[in-house]
Amino acid sequence: MNTITLIEKLWQDTVLAKEEYVYLIRNCSMEDRELLAARANEVRQSYYGKDVYVRGLIEFTNYCRNNCYYCGIRAENKNADRYRLSAEEILECVEEGYTLGFRTFVLQGGEDFSYSTEDIGSLIAEIKKRHNDCAVTLSLGERERDVYQYWYDCGADRYLLRHETASKEHYEKLHPQNLSFGHRIKCLYNLKEIGYQTGAGFMVGSPFQTAEHLAADLLFLKELQPHMAGIGPFIAQKDSPFAGYVDGTLEQTLLMLSLVRLTLPRVLLPSTTALGTIHPQGRELGILAGANVVMPNLSPVSVREKYQLYDNKICTGEESAQCRQCLDKRMESIGYHIVTARGDFANVSR
Ligand code: 5AD
Ligand code: FES
């Protein structure tokens, strides 16, 4: 096998065999990474040009019933300073975001059942009633199919649920026993069947991860065909069981972003806050490696510090308007521009 031949093959066929992905993940040189990023960029530009879509992220609760070993808002973390935003507070964030030009709102939180299914449903309906030109994205973890269906019927357009790792045996090393790999995957297929634009994804450099696991992630994405993929480096959180584990690297995250772009040419692919956290130009480099979405924080500044999935998260002290301007400038600095369109997958909207 040869890296350059494999890169060209992936560029043309949009898929490789598992051992070919493994070989690329293990053996890419600096020059190979540059070639991969250039090919990924070319593919992205053929569908989306130099447009970067922006999503307003509202982290409305950091309560969570789960205990994922990597995550800072896990239920057992007694040091997490917990908060919940009321419906009114969430709607204020939406109004501010709308004024700043956001046309997608991502409601994200831990698995917090103190908001009922109906509470969330009314919130979705209210946002859609006020702004029918906006998309509502949910990121609320695993729920039963009928709940996903109900929220879809209330007007939710998209759902983000990272699969975290496509290998059952690896999944079980990242999560306690009560969390089931099978259920998570089932949730993703349910979301797609219901009609959501669906996002899966994984961390790069999570504990115990191998090149084979990453190759399995790419093949899983190829099979699921999600509309969105969230890929960011693992960053150790000091109060979690994975405190002290080594963080994922910039280089490997960029490599995986390029491989995802080439595997799913039209995917909406964020350059994540986690990537911006491990390197000052991480988000710009992510765009240059094939990403085409940024998700600045719209949560009130008073709670931002508290939504700490990992340590040293950036932008926690910035006002939403500052983040918007900062990202505009960052994207312009590399010749890209943020657009305020809803930014649906391949221009489909309901
Ligand atoms: N480092 C990086 N990403 C993390 N996430 C959770 N904890 C961490 C961490 N320590 C990611 C998970 C989750 C998403 C919301 O954040 O992939 O799905
Ligand atoms: Fe928040 Fe730059 S994006 S300050």
Side-chain angles (χ1 to χ4, degrees):
M1 277 192 261
N2 161 303
T3 47
I4 297 186
T5 320
L6 287 177
I7 293 168
E8 298 303 335
K9 183 173 171 201
L10 176 58
W11 182 49
Q12 270 159 31
D13 300 353
T14 77
V15 71
L16 294 177
K18 184 165 181 185
E19 53 286 4
E20 294 175 322
Y21 278 125
V22 170
Y23 187 88
L24 268 187
I25 292 164
R26 288 222 179 95
N27 297 299
C28 270
S29 65
M30 267 271 281
E31 293 76 45
D32 294 335
R33 287 162 203 273
E34 279 167 21
L35 174 64
L36 256 178
R39 290 298 191 216
N41 224 324
E42 221 171 292
V43 165
R44 187 270 317 277
Q45 278 188 37
S46 71
Y47 291 103
Y48 297 106
K50 293 203 167 190
D51 291 352
V52 175
Y53 299 103
V54 68
R55 321 297 194 197
L57 183 60
I58 304 173
E59 296 160 336
F60 70 91
T61 171
N62 69 351
Y63 282 84
C64 187
R65 64 171 178 172
N66 292 331
N67 273 298
C68 305
Y69 297 145
Y70 44 84
C71 185
I73 66 167
R74 60 204 303 275
E76 280 171 21
N77 181 7
K78 299 287 177 289
N79 293 331
D81 187 0
R82 306 284 172 176
Y83 72 92
R84 290 187 176 103
L85 298 185
S86 65
E88 292 68 38
E89 289 170 313
I90 297 170
L91 289 167
E92 274 171 34
C93 295
V94 169
E95 292 314 319
E96 187 185 353
Y98 193 85
T99 311
L100 291 169
F102 290 88
R103 293 296 176 269
T104 292
F105 298 101
V106 183
L107 303 181
Q108 185 172 77
E111 289 191 12
D112 179 1
F113 283 70
S114 75
Y115 300 84
S116 69
T117 299
E118 293 74 22
D119 291 340
I120 301 287
S122 317
L123 188 60
I124 298 163
E126 181 62 26
I127 297 173
K128 297 295 284 195
K129 186 173 121 201
R130 293 187 186 190
H131 302 293
N132 69 3
D133 55 340
C134 288
V136 171
T137 304
L138 303 178
S139 177
L140 303 175
E142 295 178 35
R143 306 290 163 124
E144 293 314 309
R145 188 188 166 115
D146 57 338
V147 175
Y148 286 153
Q149 181 70 56
Y150 176 79
W151 289 339
Y152 185 78
D153 296 339
C154 289
D157 303 275
R158 310 186 186 136
Y159 205 104
L160 306 177
L161 183 73
R162 290 190 180 177
H163 64 282
E164 312 296 359
T165 171
S167 310
K168 182 170 185 287
E169 135 278 330
H170 186 217
Y171 193 90
E172 289 168 0
K173 290 184 178 154
L174 301 181
H175 303 93
Q177 263 192 351
N178 67 320
L179 291 178
S180 139
F181 173 70
H183 188 256
R184 195 153 190 101
I185 302 301
K186 183 79 193 144
C187 283
L188 281 164
Y189 282 99
N190 282 342
L191 288 162
K192 265 204 89 179
E193 269 174 38
I194 290 168
Y196 282 97
Q197 291 178 51
T198 303
F202 55 91
M203 291 178 286
V204 177
S206 60
F208 317 112
Q209 187 179 60
T210 62
E212 282 79 8
H213 293 141
L214 288 168
D217 287 321
L218 293 167
L219 287 172
F220 171 70
L221 291 180
K222 191 71 190 172
E223 187 193 307
L224 177 70
Q225 291 284 319
H227 307 86
M228 303 168 287
I231 315 289
F234 162 75
I235 303 174
Q237 202 281 335
K238 62 182 181 341
D239 302 307
S240 71
F242 288 162
Y245 277 79
V246 179
D247 293 347
T249 64
L250 175 77
E251 289 72 25
Q252 199 165 34
T253 308
L254 296 176
L255 173 78
M256 293 311 298
L257 284 172
S258 298
L259 290 176
V260 169
R261 169 61 62 203
L262 291 169
T263 302
L264 296 175
R266 288 187 302 168
V267 78
L268 289 156
L269 186 63
S271 192
T272 56
T273 304
L275 191 54
T277 297
I278 60 164
H279 187 279
Q281 267 81 50
R283 285 167 300 175
E284 293 88 318
L285 292 166
I287 298 293
L288 294 172
N292 68 334
V293 174
V294 286
M295 298 174 65
N297 202 322
L298 278 182
S299 320
V301 174
S302 57
V303 302
R304 281 192 197 180
E305 285 270 352
K306 302 179 184 174
Y307 202 84
Q308 294 271 8
L309 307 182
Y310 48 81
D311 290 342
N312 305 317
K313 188 175 168 197
I314 54 168
C315 295
T316 54
E318 307 293 334
E319 297 292 340
S320 307
Q322 290 173 307
C323 275
R324 175 67 221 260
Q325 284 162 12
C326 163
L327 278 171
D328 278 347
K329 283 201 208 116
R330 285 172 181 270
M331 296 303 125
E332 294 296 337
S333 79
I334 53 168
Y336 287 70
H337 37 260
I338 289 185
V339 294
T340 54
R342 266 174 55 126
D344 290 288
F345 180 78
N347 305 320
V348 284
S349 70
R350 33 198 311 239

